[in-house]
Amino acid sequence: MYGNSTRENRETPLTPAGEDAAGRLEKAVSQKSNMYVGGESDGRVLPTKCPNNGEQASAEGMEGRRPTKENIRQATASRTQSRTSALSDLHGVREVARRDKRTRFTALLHHVTPERLRESYYALKREAAPGVDGVTWYEYETDLDERVLNLHRRIHRGTYRAQPSKRTYIAKADGRERPLGIAALEDKIVQQAVVTVLNQIYEEDFLGFSYGFRPGRSPHAALDALWVGLMRKQVNWILDADVRGFFDNLSHEWLGQFIEHRVADRRILRLIRKWLRAGVSEDGEWSKTEVGVPQGSVASPLLANIYLHYVFDLWARHWRKHHATGDMIVVRYADDGAPRRRGKEALMGP
């Protein structure tokens, strides 16, 4: 824990996008949502220093016949220009999301480009166990460019099909087993790309006391926030809360409604529904999934944070502003939370 923190933490900063990028994006959004989503950080909750690891860089090159030096320079320049343009577009999405918390984005799938899919592939863990497809990270690298282009075509034509998650179990500290869902490799790639796009929106919406599975945040940052709250506030009550079976029982219906407050691109919504409804394969037998998100999948942490943002974070902020009789600070890491307050009344849950 970092006890020498003195400044309040803020949302991950963003380099402002150019007016042209933001202007083009405003043509592809609508403002039909009637629910305001507060996105500013909660300064009373946050510590000062928050490690910022950033996104994983894709340093690996393509295998195959060695091209000429001129081709290398041309290919490198082309990839650099493509990456710069893609980043500018994403910055534009974030700028629009920042300016108006009621904006609903109607066109997002075009940000899932072959280049972004390729970067998403290299962001995955190389030694991860394969899913039901049996394809490993290293096997998929063979003819990677062609595979990525084919995957991109299927996504945009609507012929991409999500595969069921492979069910496996890991031991918990209390002796029980935690179920994990291992997605097929291509599902991981697509989920990683979509999460990268959606993060530009939700990093502007999520409140400051949410730490779990967010870019540039970590368990150490959450512990830092706890230390600041305990050492610098007059704390009388501490409530350590853990939502029992949260990932396994999350409502698909409510999750869909929450996402639609910000996302109106039907193709993105259809992709998310495909992942949720793909089912689970255990010992060769498929079973339907009507609730929950698989722990261990790439998209699940973001989907869980979206759900908890609406059912807990906004409630906690409202309760503190309108009902709390003393200071109240909150730290949430995924489905674990530690609200602390000063006063005679104990904090009651939602």
Side-chain angles (χ1 to χ4, degrees):
M1 294 185 289
Y2 307 100
N4 58 350
S5 299
T6 57
R7 302 187 307 273
E8 291 178 341
N9 193 6
R10 300 298 182 199
E11 295 287 338
T12 305
L14 168 72
T15 303
E19 292 295 330
D20 292 340
R24 289 195 301 271
L25 280 159
E26 286 185 297
K27 297 179 181 179
V29 300
S30 63
Q31 300 179 0
K32 297 180 181 179
S33 175
N34 59 1
M35 180 173 183
Y36 184 83
V37 182
E40 295 182 359
S41 292
D42 190 339
R44 289 178 290 178
V45 176
L46 300 174
T48 61
K49 296 182 180 179
C50 180
N52 189 356
N53 297 327
E55 296 180 354
Q56 292 181 341
S58 54
E60 292 79 359
M62 300 186 326
E63 296 181 354
R65 186 178 57 186
R66 176 176 296 179
T68 64
K69 293 183 178 180
E70 181 178 0
N71 288 340
I72 292 177
R73 288 194 296 269
Q74 291 177 351
T76 302
S78 176
R79 286 196 297 269
T80 301
Q81 292 172 359
S82 175
R83 177 173 174 80
T84 301
S85 176
L87 290 176
S88 177
D89 288 344
L90 285 186
H91 288 168
V93 170
R94 188 154 185 168
E95 185 66 23
V96 173
R98 172 183 296 171
R99 287 205 303 261
D100 191 343
K101 304 301 181 181
R102 293 168 294 184
T103 296
R104 300 180 70 221
F105 291 81
T106 60
L108 292 171
L109 190 65
H110 68 278
H111 293 292
V112 181
T113 62
E115 180 65 22
R116 179 148 292 118
L117 291 171
R118 191 174 189 277
E119 292 176 356
S120 297
Y121 163 78
Y122 279 114
L124 300 176
K125 295 181 179 178
R126 288 147 176 73
E127 305 297 336
V132 296
D133 58 345
V135 179
T136 66
W137 188 93
Y138 294 101
E139 291 172 345
Y140 198 85
E141 192 175 25
T142 305
D143 298 325
L144 178 62
D145 286 348
E146 182 59 34
R147 290 177 184 267
V148 166
L149 288 175
N150 179 272
L151 178 59
H152 178 264
R153 285 192 294 266
R154 284 184 280 131
I155 293 170
H156 287 264
R157 290 175 181 175
T159 58
Y160 159 78
R161 295 290 180 267
Q163 299 189 59
S165 297
K166 182 180 179 181
R167 176 62 56 83
T168 186
Y169 296 89
I170 60 172
K172 299 176 65 174
D174 59 5
R176 295 180 298 170
E177 290 186 323
R178 182 190 304 276
L180 294 182
I182 304 175
L185 188 63
E186 285 196 336
D187 292 334
K188 292 180 182 179
I189 296 172
V190 181
Q191 289 181 25
Q192 179 68 41
V194 171
V195 165
T196 300
V197 175
L198 293 182
N199 270 340
Q200 308 308 309
I201 301 171
Y202 288 106
E203 281 303 303
E204 294 299 326
D205 288 356
F206 291 157
L207 303 188
F209 55 75
S210 169
Y211 286 88
F213 311 115
R214 292 181 58 187
R217 299 193 171 210
S218 68
H220 292 290
L223 290 174
D224 192 12
L226 284 171
W227 187 93
V228 171
L230 292 171
M231 297 295 105
R232 303 189 181 183
K233 297 290 184 179
Q234 298 182 26
V235 176
N236 293 337
W237 295 90
I238 300 176
L239 175 61
D240 182 13
D242 181 9
V243 183
R244 180 183 299 173
F246 169 71
F247 282 88
D248 297 331
N249 297 285
L250 182 150
S251 168
H252 292 176
E253 180 181 358
W254 279 108
L255 175 62
Q257 293 186 42
F258 295 150
I259 294 174
E260 288 181 16
H261 282 306
R262 281 301 236 167
V263 179
D265 188 332
R266 295 182 179 179
R267 298 173 299 174
I268 292 291
L269 297 173
R270 191 178 300 116
L271 281 176
I272 295 174
R273 285 195 296 267
K274 286 181 179 181
W275 299 330
L276 294 176
R277 298 173 180 174
V280 174
S281 177
E282 184 174 0
D283 297 328
E285 295 186 6
W286 178 86
S287 59
K288 185 178 182 180
T289 50
E290 297 181 345
V291 295
V293 293
Q295 297 186 59
S297 78
V298 176
S300 292
L302 175 61
L303 298 179
N305 273 332
I306 293 172
Y307 196 96
L308 288 168
H309 171 75
Y310 286 99
V311 303
F312 178 78
D313 295 358
L314 296 181
W315 169 84
R317 187 179 65 175
H318 181 273
W319 194 93
R320 182 179 60 191
K321 287 184 177 180
H322 299 283
H323 300 285
T325 57
D327 292 339
M328 170 185 166
I329 53 180
V330 182
V331 174
R332 180 177 68 79
Y333 194 92
D335 59 330
D336 295 304
R340 306 177 304 283
R341 72 181 299 268
R342 181 185 64 184
K344 296 181 180 179
E345 299 175 359
L347 175 64
M348 301 301 294

